[in-house]
Amino acid sequence: MTGSEDSPSFRLAYVPGVTPSKWVRIWNERLPDVPLTLLAVSLAEVFDVLRRGDADAGFVRLPVDRTDLSAIPLYTETTVVVVPKDHVVAAVDEVTAEDLADDIVLHPLDDTLDWERLPGRPAIERPATTEDAVELVAAGVGLLVVPQSLARLHHRKDLTYRPVTDAPESRVALSWPEDRTTELVEDFIGIVRGRTVNSTRGRSTAQSQPKGESQSKSKGSDKGAARRKPAAGKATGKPTGRSPRTGSGAPKGAKRGKPRRKS
């Protein structure tokens, strides 16, 4: 647990392109007494931030060094090529890496894609960041292949993007230091995995059920069972002195059918 015992808090790092708002909203609903602080961190710095303890957990891009960090893959992104709106690629629905062979394709130093072979022709210099590369695309210097979330993050009115069907994909994961899997980290894991507030896993279950409720329910069940005991004379599965002739539960000598009217 981060912070003091009296005032816990949770620090969540996230890399560019990831939008944590959905999970933050659920956190605030379930744990309103535990403030959540968001830390926007670059892809190059996020793992050091987690290892130093500057954040309790973070949304990162795979791969993750599993030596000291745990990770839960969450989703895979579509890869797109960012182009000027008047580029020939803008006229089609999707492209392949081969379709970009004659274009200069920028490869920034913070590239998130694991290429076996870079598409297109290389630029003279590599841009420092994806944001810098987007500016160069707008200037007509080249094209840029990135996860779709980054294309949206750096959107410009003069640019558009199209899916690249055979490009590597980027996977987003939740990661945290393995030796600091705190109760709050477990709570957040439950949120990103879609567990309900009444889930049997995580400490939210214990918080959602008041102390002693289980015992009171048990006592109530016992009382209910006592009230449901069969009344005298009703079938209980035990012998009831049935008549060997009629097989009914009526006393011997009792007549069956409608009573006859006296004359």
Side-chain angles (χ1 to χ4, degrees):
M1 188 176 292
T2 59
S4 68
E5 290 295 329
D6 295 332
S7 56
S9 63
F10 190 74
R11 296 160 300 170
L12 179 66
Y14 66 100
V15 297
V18 176
T19 306
S21 55
K22 175 180 70 174
W23 296 294
V24 172
R25 175 180 55 79
I26 297 173
W27 175 279
N28 290 333
E29 291 173 354
R30 295 187 185 179
L31 297 164
D33 58 330
V34 182
L36 188 152
T37 303
L38 288 173
L39 305 173
V41 183
S42 71
L43 189 68
E45 298 174 336
V46 65
F47 296 118
D48 288 336
V49 167
L50 292 175
R51 289 187 174 102
R52 289 197 306 264
D54 294 338
D56 300 288
F59 289 113
V60 304
R61 295 185 185 274
L62 296 177
V64 170
D65 184 357
R66 300 299 183 103
T67 304
D68 58 344
L69 297 174
S70 296
I72 299 173
L74 299 178
Y75 59 89
T76 301
E77 288 197 69
T78 299
T79 302
V80 301
V81 56
V82 180
V83 301
K85 282 191 172 180
D86 59 355
H87 193 278
V88 63
V89 167
V92 299
D93 293 331
E94 58 186 27
V95 296
T96 65
E98 184 62 28
D99 294 329
L100 309 177
D102 295 333
D103 290 282
I104 292 177
V105 178
L106 303 167
H107 184 49
L109 295 175
D110 64 353
D111 188 9
T112 63
L113 301 174
D114 186 16
W115 293 96
E116 290 185 8
R117 180 183 176 186
L118 294 174
R121 297 184 292 125
I124 296 175
E125 294 183 1
R126 295 182 62 182
T129 66
T130 296
E131 185 175 8
D132 293 338
V134 170
E135 295 294 328
L136 293 175
V137 174
V141 175
L143 310 183
L144 174 65
V145 180
V146 292
Q148 184 170 302
S149 66
L150 291 178
R152 290 174 174 170
L153 177 65
H154 302 294
H155 172 70
R156 292 174 50 115
K157 292 182 179 180
D158 53 347
L159 301 180
T160 188
Y161 56 85
R162 295 292 184 270
V164 183
T165 57
D166 56 351
E169 296 175 318
S170 177
R171 292 198 298 162
V172 174
L174 177 69
S175 183
W176 67 95
E178 186 174 0
D179 61 352
R180 293 199 297 274
T181 308
T182 64
E183 289 182 342
L184 292 180
V185 170
E186 288 285 3
D187 284 330
F188 198 78
I189 292 171
I191 289 173
V192 300
R193 281 185 162 169
R195 297 178 197 153
T196 65
V197 69
N198 294 322
S199 170
T200 56
R201 301 180 65 179
R203 65 189 182 91
S204 295
T205 302
Q207 293 177 341
S208 64
Q209 179 170 310
K211 187 176 180 181
E213 181 178 337
S214 177
Q215 295 178 356
S216 63
K217 284 185 177 181
S218 177
K219 291 179 180 179
S221 298
D222 292 342
K223 292 179 181 179
R227 289 196 297 269
R228 290 193 296 272
K229 286 183 179 180
K234 291 191 176 182
T236 61
K238 297 181 180 181
T240 57
R242 293 173 179 245
S243 171
R245 291 185 180 179
T246 63
S248 69
K252 290 183 180 181
K255 295 182 180 181
R256 302 180 64 186
K258 296 182 179 179
R260 288 185 293 182
R261 184 179 300 171
K262 294 181 181 179
S263 59

